[in-house]
């Protein structure tokens, strides 16, 4: 067997295999892990591999056991606060020592002796890479017969880390021939040759600009991708075969889009990420199990591309949760009633319908309304295992044998978490510990399964040190810093000396820096005819820094200037460019004007037909008065942004909570006194808070919740006092009303509070939670309280005139209304009474409706729109009708300058 060993060759390497031709027999390119795998097979040392999370859990158990006997170890304080992070860090130290030859015995140094004590305490530790290396080295001591005959090294032998060097030395004693992979030479005196000479000898002859070595600067990664794709497209298909692209961040999605747009093959590199949709099921399943209930976590779980319950059921529950964030609200109960009806209809003909319906309902409820556990006290280990097992089962069932990499990763992570909980031996598990464990099992993440490479000559590697053979054309994509960092040693000089005397050789920082620097230069040494280094100034919205190799080459690059430096933005300036020996032709694109804003739009007959049998509301009236176009699009045509659901903000949650509490304590009939109302509010506050406004229980809203606990009871007690003072009794809260008027006008709405005076009749009070009273006061003063006017008109459909109304501002505890309204405590001089406002609103509706019926829609905020307004318009649009409109990009009121 003939192997090539490169420290960065455990992933993609170039060339793929040793030898020339189309294949190789008994030969491969491997990294350190690959070499250990090969030797384990030959030595009979194979065995099950443990997940890193299981190893950390086992080491945490060992550290806990070591802490219970004798004096407190050096890690005792940090372990008591964050056992997982402490165990993870110390396990890394321990593995580093074991790989370097540490015997695991006391050495007279306090920290090393504490680790040696942990080594023999607690449960056995599943073997890691360092333990496997030591087992291989021990087996090779007897010089067994192995089929490995030659091992060629990519890196110089003296630059190998001590553990790898020990393995190579031991293989040499087993009669394995050790050779060095030779770097290809170059005969021509090109700029690329001069760069290689500079990296080797430090001499710096000037560069001539012969296009063999070019640096490409771009303002953005997008422009860099366009430039590189243009350069590759300018060459022949045969020239793609010898082109290798280095992408250190492991993600070529942006570059692949530019390549595919020009008919070039995609590289298909995708960075592993723990944030992919399916991988979020595990952390979100636990996040939704902590008290106080986290409605956002459950909403995120339901809105995943592949939720753990049926998509239709998830959408219905998500809408209910967004409307009333809690699992004890009326919207939540209605959603479950709908789901039960759907299941009954779906399994109507099933022979075991009741069993199947019950099974699905129980499984869905387990996902959405399982138990809640205190974050500090922790979750019982059995409950944590059940959640992890449920996630793993969902992943396997959803995959159904399709080998979806994301779902298999989820199943593996759930299994690793279950094993880690078993090995850890702690019960219960605090929230911080569970989150650390989940973070660990998902640490490696997963690649995007939809991002795949396409057939073609282009090749891509992640690490410049993984190139071990000649490359015709080298492209270093994303040539930016900071690059690999030299690992810092946690050991003091005294500890290092003790380790060295015991035969434990640790790599020095200077040796690590030399090895990393060699890897950077390696790619350029293997480049034969061309080398392009491409650096965007901005990547992912952040400013980039120079790569360490760029600093090293600066004595050559800086004097050469524009001879070798090329700006990608030049593609936007001229018709043709020369870059790295290729002509990049460009064609001028005609610049056309985008569609311009216009005030008057013609409606199709299908839109006009939707005016029939419409029912207006207070909200639709407000939109209509401000902009007929907005009313037409949102209320008549029902245009929406989509089905995206989100948790309301704290102000809206407080308003919803205050409304619901008022609905409970202001029962029909005489109003209780303020003290009784306060007691009633206290009795229902926490239950309703959890039912419909649970996000307020999260720590980030502690200030808002504290304010609500004081303001909501006080506001409702003050409202009760005012109602009693005015001799008003409650007719009802949250009352649905509908009324029909002349000209085919039908209006419906839900009224917050309807009251009655023994002599003056019915009145309407609209509850508002707002930060300032200015807006409502202005509405009343200007005669534009359209919502109050509408509610008054439909409060008592049998009444001859609209009922008077007032706003009760909960946050300010003020009951304001127009002059003469018997329900108001603070009267505001209004330019128009509510009755007149309603009359004018009806006439305004008729005028706008008739205009729409004639096939015309107007955007009120557009220039010269007033020229097309109906002549008899009673309620004119606001001065800024577009200020809070979500349709400004559609009607093009606002557009970017050309």
């Amino acid at each position: 067997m003939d192997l090539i060993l490169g420290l960065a060759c455990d992933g993609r390497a170039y060339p793929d295999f040793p030898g020339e031709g189309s294949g190789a027999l008994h030969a491969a390119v491997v990294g350190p892990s690959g070499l250990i795998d090969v030797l384990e097979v030959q030595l009979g040392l194979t065995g099950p591999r443990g997940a890193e999370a299981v190893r950390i859990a086992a080491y945490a158990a060992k550290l806990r056991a070591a802490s219970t006997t004798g004096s407190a170890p050096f890690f005792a304080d940090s372990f008591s606060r964050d056992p997982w992070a402490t165990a993870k860090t110390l396990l890394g130290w321990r593995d580093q020592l074991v790989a370097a030859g540490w015997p695991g015995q006391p050495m007279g140094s306090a920290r090393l002796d504490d680790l040696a004590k942990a080594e023999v305490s607690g449960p056995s530790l599943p073997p890691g890479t360092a333990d496997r290396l030591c087992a291989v080295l021990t087996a090779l001591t007897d010089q067994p017969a192995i089929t490995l005959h030659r091992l060629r090294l990519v890196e110089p032998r003296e630059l190998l880390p001590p553990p790898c060097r020990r393995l190579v030395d031991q293989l040499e004693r087993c009669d394995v021939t050790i050779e060095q992979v030779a770097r290809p030479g170059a005969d021509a005196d090109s700029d690329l040759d001069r760069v290689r000479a500079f990296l080797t000898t430090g001499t710096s002859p000037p560069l001539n600009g012969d296009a063999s070595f070019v640096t490409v600067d771009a303002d953005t990664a997008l422009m860099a991708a366009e430039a590189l794709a243009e350069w590759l497209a300018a060459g022949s298909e045969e020239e793609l075969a010898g082109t290798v692209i280095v992408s250190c961040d492991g993600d070529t999605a942006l570059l692949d889009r530019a390549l595919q747009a020009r008919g070039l093959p995609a590289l298909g590199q995708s960075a592993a990420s723990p944030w992919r949709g399916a991988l979020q099921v595990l952390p979100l399943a636990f996040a939704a199990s902590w008290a106080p209930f986290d409605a956002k976590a459950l909403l995120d779980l339901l809105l995943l591309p592949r939720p753990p319950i049926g998509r239709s059921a998830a959408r219905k529950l998500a809408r209910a949760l967004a409307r009333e964030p809690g699992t004890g609200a009326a919207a939540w109960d209605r959603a479950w009633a709908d789901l039960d009806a759907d299941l009954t209809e779906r399994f109507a003909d099933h022979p075991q319908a009741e069993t199947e319906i019950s099974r699905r309902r129980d499984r869905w409820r387990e996902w959405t309304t399982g138990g809640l556990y205190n974050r500090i006290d922790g979750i019982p280990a059995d409950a944590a295992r059940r959640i992890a097992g449920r996630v793993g089962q969902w992943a396997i069932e959803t995959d159904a044998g399709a080998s979806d990499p994301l779902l298999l990763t989820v199943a593996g992570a759930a299994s690793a978490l279950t094993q880690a909980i078993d090995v850890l031996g702690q019960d219960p598990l605090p929230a911080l510990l569970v989150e650390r464990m989940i973070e660990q099992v998902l640490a490696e993440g997963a690649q995007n399964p939809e991002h795949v490479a396409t057939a073609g000559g282009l090749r891509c590697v992640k690490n410049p040190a993984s190139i071990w053979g000649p490359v015709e054309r080298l492209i270093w994509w994303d040539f930016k810093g900071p690059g690999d960092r030299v690992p810092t040693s946690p050991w003091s000089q005294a500890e290092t000396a003790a380790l060295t005397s015991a035969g434990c050789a640790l790599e020095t920082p200077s040796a690590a820096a030399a090895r990393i620097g060699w890897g950077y230069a390696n790619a350029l040494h293997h480049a034969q005819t061309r080398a392009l280094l491409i650096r965007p100034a901005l990547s992912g919205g952040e400013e980039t820094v120079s790569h360490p190799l760029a600093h090293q080459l600066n004595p050559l690059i800086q004097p050469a200037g524009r001879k070798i430096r090329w700006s990608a933005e030049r593609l936007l300036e001229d018709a043709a460019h020369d870059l790295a020996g290729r002509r990049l032709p460009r064609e001028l694109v005609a610049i056309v004007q985008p569609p311009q804003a216009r005030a008057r739009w013609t409606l199709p007959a299908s839109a006009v037909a939707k005016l029939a049998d419409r029912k207006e509301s207070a909200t639709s009236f407000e939109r209509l008065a401000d902009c007929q176009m907005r009313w037409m699009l949102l209320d008549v045509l029902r245009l929406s942004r989509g089905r995206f659901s989100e948790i309301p903000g704290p102000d809206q949650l407080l308003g919803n909570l205050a409304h619901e509490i008022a609905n409970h304590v202001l029962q029909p009939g005489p109003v209780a006194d303020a003290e009784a109302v306060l007691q009633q509010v206290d009795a229902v506050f926490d239950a309703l808070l959890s039912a419909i406004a649970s996000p307020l229980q999260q720590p980030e809203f502690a200030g808002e919740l504290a304010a609500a606990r004081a303001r909501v009871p006080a506001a409702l007690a003050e409202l009760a006092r005012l109602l009693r003072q005015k001799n008003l009794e409650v007719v009802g809260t949250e009352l649905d009303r509908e009324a029909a008027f002349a000209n085919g006008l039908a209006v419906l709405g839900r009224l917050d509070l309807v009251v009655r005076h023994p002599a003056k009749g019915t009145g309407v009070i609209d509850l508002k939670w707002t930060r300032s009273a200015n807006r409502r006061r202005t509405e009343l003063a200007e005669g534009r309280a359209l919502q109050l006017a509408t509610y008054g008109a439909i409060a008592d459909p049998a009444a001859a005139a609209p009922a008077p109304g007032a706003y009760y501002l909960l946050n300010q505890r003020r009951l304001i209304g127009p002059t003469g309204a018997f329900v108001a405590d603070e009267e505001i001089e209004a330019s128009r009474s509510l009755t007149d406002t309603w009359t004018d609103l009806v006439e305004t509706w008729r005028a706008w409706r008739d205009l729409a019926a004639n096939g015309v829609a107007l955007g009120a905020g557009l220039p010269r729109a007033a020229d097309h307004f109906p002549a008899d318009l009673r309620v004119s649009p606001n001065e800024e009708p577009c200020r809070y409109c979500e349709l400004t990009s559609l009607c093009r009121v606002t557009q970017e300058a050309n």
Side-chain angles (χ1 to χ4, degrees), residues 135 194 593 706 726 800 824 839-840:
R194 297 185 179 200
Q593 290 292 332
K726 292 180 171 296
T839 301
D840 292 345

Side-chain angles (χ1 to χ4, degrees), residues 623-788:
R623 292 197 185 108
L624 177 64
D626 269 348
C627 179
Q628 184 213 16
M629 172 71 77
R630 189 184 185 201
W631 167 77
M632 191 72 202
L633 293 176
L634 297 182
D635 296 294
V636 180
L637 300 182
R638 310 294 295 174
L639 184 68
S640 68
R641 297 180 179 179
R643 293 185 174 273
F644 179 75
S645 300
E646 61 181 347
I647 299 297
D651 285 342
Q652 185 175 344
L653 289 173
L654 289 171
N656 295 346
L657 178 62
H659 276 71
E660 191 62 25
I661 293 177
N663 190 29
H664 277 69
V665 302
L666 297 177
Q667 295 297 314
V671 181
D673 61 35
E675 288 299 324
V677 169
L678 282 175
Q679 293 177 2
Q680 294 175 28
V681 172
D682 289 340
V684 301
F685 188 95
D686 288 323
L688 293 178
L689 175 67
S690 298
I692 68 168
S694 62
L696 293 176
Q697 297 175 306
Q698 298 302 315
E700 60 266 30
F701 296 131
E704 287 85 349
L705 180 57
R709 290 189 180 278
R711 293 176 183 175
V712 172
L716 294 179
E718 176 64 12
L719 177 59
R721 187 189 68 79
L722 292 173
L723 295 179
R724 287 172 61 87
Q725 177 183 316
K726 292 180 171 296
N727 195 25
L728 298 174
E729 66 177 21
V730 176
V731 175
T733 58
E734 299 294 329
L735 296 179
D736 290 320
R737 289 289 189 265
E738 184 173 345
F741 300 90
N743 297 321
L745 174 60
V747 183
L748 54 79
R750 172 169 287 189
L751 282 59
D752 288 346
L753 177 60
V754 179
V755 296
R756 181 182 294 113
H757 189 275
K760 300 176 183 178
T762 300
V764 175
I765 297 177
D766 194 35
L767 308 183
K768 297 293 184 186
W769 185 280
T770 179
R771 292 181 180 271
S772 172
N774 292 338
R775 178 185 171 188
R776 301 303 173 184
R777 290 179 59 88
T778 302
E779 280 184 1
L780 292 168
E782 294 179 353
R784 293 187 64 92
L786 306 184
Q787 194 174 42
L788 273 185

